[in-house]
Amino acid sequence: MILSWRRRRAARGAGKTRDMADRNGVAELAIPINFRCPISLDLMKDPVTLSTGITYDRENIERWIESGNNTCPITNRLITNQDPTPNHAIRKVIQSWCVENKSYGVDRIPTPRIPVSSVEVAGILGGVEAAVRRGDGGGCLELVGKVKAMAAESERNRRRVVASGAGRALSETFEAFSDTSTGSSAPMHCQQLDEFVFFEEQRNLGTEELWFSSPSEGCFSKKSPLLGEILSTLTLMLPLDEEAKSRLGSFSSLNSMVWFLQNGDLSGRRTAILVMKDVVSLDQEKLDALIKIEGAMEALVKLVREPICVQTTKASLSIVYNMVASSMPSPNNDVARKFVDMGLVSLLLETVVGSERGVSELALVVLDELCGCDEGREKAYDNALTVPVLVKKILRVSDLATEFSVSVLWKLSKSERKGEEGGGEGSDVFVVEALQVGAFQKLLLLLQVGCGEETKEKASELLKLLNLFRDKLECIDSMDFKHLKRPF
């Protein structure tokens, strides 16, 4: 009897729940089969039809094609046209169905913007190349702006612009106009450029916005809007292909980028350093060319001293590291010595103290390279932050930061610091200071927790050096690793 009553009550409760669900629009709604994408089986938001006659959601079928497939997933027939046709009829029917079922919580799919086609992009890039041949700076600027707008609109458009060879075309344009800036032969004559500059200055007089700082800066500053727009567009296409890097890695192109690092506004410096990093990374020939450009090293250090954003700081440190590392096998590393003379050692130590993880890691990597030369070690010895910062970063930031902190400590401890009379007291002073700030405890714990083989060897050597002075000194008990989780 009681069981029967409970069943009836449960049934009444279930019926009441269903009624409430229906009134609130929460009831499950079946999507018509012809509204579903055959790939994902979800409601199509941007239906497109292939040359085989089958309709898919654009995002799904483009992902299918970009994965290397050239056949229709349903019919297995060859896709003759890689650009699917928008199916406006089925989209409108789906939108009407969404509106009719609004009470069930169905949102109307928005009308999608038609993505750019390969033909459209190719036409604009062809116009850019023609404008370069004519020396038409104004035409180039306008067309590059269109390419940038396309690439910035959506990820789909960006991929289409990149696939159409925009990186190559824009890098060729950048090199061509950079050649005229550095005095090389190029398609644009200064007279044509001056006419373009005059027109643009007149156009902007109403807003008191002149594009160029002064006539004394010559043809280069006059072309800075065009070159800056190209760099800004290229940052949307990173990483660039090898052909584009080859063009941008020429002496004239690198010289133009350095000019932006020295004279550009925040946006110009940011785009220039991001493109430069992608171009010169791990390329010895391009690094050598960059080193020879006057003011390049100073501009890189300035970006670290006056950071714009995390990306630019990382890019600058990465380039500095590659420049120093590529020249380090030489016993007298002029590149490292120049950076040291610019105060980079002290700047790196300050950067390690107050920066986020990625920047701190790169700063320690560069510092480790600079301490490979005598001048770098001398500057490190003279800086009061060196020992406390390096010991502090062990087991605090990341495994990479720990590795290079130990490496720098090892180099400085092993190096003999000769005084005026040829004594070796300097290294003892460094070791004693490291011991006093808790280096012994940190290194001992590092060996217990575990680390790479090379780091383990350096840590073991450091412990042997520190142990010589342990009985004579009162060490500070470091609490940095109090809450460290051990793997045992």
Side-chain angles (χ1 to χ4, degrees):
M1 182 79 176
I2 296 176
L3 181 60
S4 175
W5 176 79
R6 285 178 177 172
R7 285 177 177 172
R8 288 198 298 271
R9 187 175 68 173
R12 286 197 301 271
K16 185 178 180 180
T17 302
R18 283 196 299 270
D19 292 341
M20 292 178 62
D22 290 340
R23 287 196 298 270
N24 294 332
V26 183
E28 185 177 354
L29 182 67
I31 301 175
I33 189 64
N34 58 321
F35 291 176
R36 296 175 180 267
C37 175
I39 296 177
S40 66
L41 300 181
D42 293 329
L43 183 69
M44 291 186 289
K45 298 179 180 179
D46 186 6
V48 293
T49 303
L50 293 182
S51 56
T52 58
I54 307 298
T55 300
Y56 301 89
D57 187 72
R58 183 185 293 276
E59 183 179 354
N60 295 324
I61 194 59
E62 285 187 347
R63 189 183 297 116
W64 167 269
I65 295 174
E66 288 169 2
S67 298
N69 301 291
N70 59 357
T71 57
C72 175
I74 298 297
T75 64
N76 207 30
R77 289 165 52 191
L78 186 69
I79 301 175
T80 57
N81 185 3
Q82 297 291 329
D83 291 328
T85 304
N87 193 326
H88 299 295
I90 190 67
R91 175 180 55 78
K92 290 179 181 179
V93 174
I94 292 175
Q95 286 177 328
S96 299
W97 178 84
C98 292
V99 172
E100 292 172 1
N101 294 279
K102 183 179 180 181
S103 60
Y104 289 92
V106 180
D107 294 328
R108 180 183 182 275
I109 62 170
T111 301
R113 295 178 63 89
I114 300 176
V116 296
S117 64
S118 302
V119 175
E120 185 179 359
V121 177
I124 295 177
L125 295 178
V128 171
E129 293 174 353
V132 172
R133 289 193 295 270
R134 297 194 307 268
D136 182 5
C140 272
L141 184 62
E142 181 180 355
L143 292 171
V144 171
K146 289 184 178 180
V147 175
K148 179 181 177 180
M150 287 178 177
E153 184 176 340
S154 66
E155 176 61 21
R156 181 191 304 146
N157 282 1
R158 190 196 73 82
R159 293 197 302 266
R160 185 63 53 83
V161 168
V162 172
S164 300
R168 175 195 56 79
L170 294 179
S171 60
E172 288 179 354
T173 305
F174 189 87
E175 183 183 32
F177 283 90
S178 295
D179 281 340
T180 63
S181 305
T182 55
S184 305
S185 59
M188 173 175 269
H189 299 290
C190 281
Q191 182 179 359
Q192 293 173 306
L193 186 58
D194 287 338
E195 293 174 359
F196 160 61
V197 171
F198 176 78
F199 170 76
E200 295 296 342
E201 287 181 346
Q202 293 299 315
R203 189 178 71 172
N204 289 306
L205 279 177
T207 59
E208 299 182 358
E209 180 185 349
L210 294 180
W211 287 21
F212 318 110
S213 47
S214 68
S216 62
E217 292 185 5
C219 287
F220 191 91
S221 63
K222 295 175 181 178
K223 286 178 290 185
S224 63
L226 173 59
L227 297 178
E229 188 75 351
I230 294 175
L231 288 176
S232 180
T233 307
L234 287 173
T235 57
L236 300 173
M237 305 177 189
L238 300 176
L240 301 171
D241 57 45
E242 290 304 319
E243 188 174 358
K245 290 181 181 180
S246 177
R247 294 283 187 177
L248 293 170
S250 66
F251 184 85
S252 58
S253 295
L254 290 174
N255 191 49
S256 295
M257 291 184 219
V258 171
W259 186 91
F260 276 97
L261 295 182
Q262 295 173 319
N263 306 290
D265 56 13
L266 292 181
S267 177
R269 281 184 280 160
R270 178 183 178 276
T271 55
I273 194 65
L274 293 179
V275 174
M276 182 183 290
K277 174 184 176 293
D278 189 60
V279 171
V280 305
S281 180
L282 303 178
D283 191 309
Q284 186 64 52
E285 185 177 350
K286 295 182 179 67
L287 287 169
D288 291 340
L290 182 60
I291 291 171
K292 295 175 183 177
I293 296 175
E294 184 179 355
M297 298 170 69
E298 290 83 356
L300 292 171
V301 173
K302 184 180 178 181
L303 270 181
V304 180
R305 182 177 289 110
E306 302 173 8
I308 299 173
C309 64
V310 172
Q311 273 186 310
T312 58
T313 304
K314 286 183 176 180
S316 183
L317 287 172
S318 178
I319 296 174
V320 171
Y321 168 75
N322 288 323
M323 292 171 73
V324 176
S326 65
S327 308
M328 188 50 76
S330 171
N332 298 317
N333 192 326
D334 291 335
V335 175
R337 295 161 89 178
K338 287 180 181 177
F339 278 123
V340 170
D341 291 341
M342 294 174 195
L344 186 56
V345 171
S346 298
L347 181 58
L348 290 173
L349 289 167
E350 295 170 7
T351 302
V352 171
V353 172
S355 300
E356 56 94 37
R357 171 178 169 175
V359 175
S360 293
E361 289 175 344
L362 275 171
L364 286 168
V365 170
V366 178
L367 181 62
D368 183 56
E369 284 295 326
L370 292 181
C371 286
C373 67
D374 294 337
E375 291 79 5
R377 290 191 293 272
E378 287 296 325
K379 290 294 182 181
Y381 286 131
D382 294 336
N383 195 302
L385 285 174
T386 303
V387 178
V389 167
L390 293 175
V391 174
K392 184 85 170 177
K393 295 304 175 181
I394 297 175
L395 296 173
R396 276 298 284 269
V397 180
S398 64
D399 291 343
L400 186 64
T402 297
E403 175 186 341
F404 283 99
S405 295
V406 171
S407 179
V408 177
L409 282 171
W410 178 81
K411 287 181 179 178
L412 295 174
S413 299
K414 295 290 289 183
S415 175
E416 292 186 0
R417 190 185 182 193
K418 295 183 179 180
E420 293 181 0
E421 298 179 0
E425 298 178 359
S427 60
D428 291 347
V429 172
F430 183 85
V431 172
V432 167
E433 185 181 359
L435 185 60
Q436 288 177 324
V437 297
F440 190 89
Q441 297 97 316
K442 277 284 190 81
L443 293 170
L444 190 61
L445 184 59
L446 176 62
L447 293 180
Q448 294 174 343
V449 172
C451 56
E453 199 62 38
E454 185 177 352
T455 303
K456 185 184 297 185
E457 292 178 4
K458 292 178 179 178
S460 299
E461 287 191 48
L462 282 170
L463 283 171
K464 292 177 182 177
L465 286 172
L466 294 169
N467 195 49
L468 297 175
F469 302 90
R470 245 183 111 215
D471 297 334
K472 305 174 184 178
L473 293 171
E474 198 176 312
C475 303
I476 297 173
D477 186 16
S478 176
M479 300 299 290
D480 292 336
F481 44 83
K482 181 179 178 181
H483 303 291
L484 184 68
K485 294 181 180 180
R486 303 186 186 185
F488 49 84

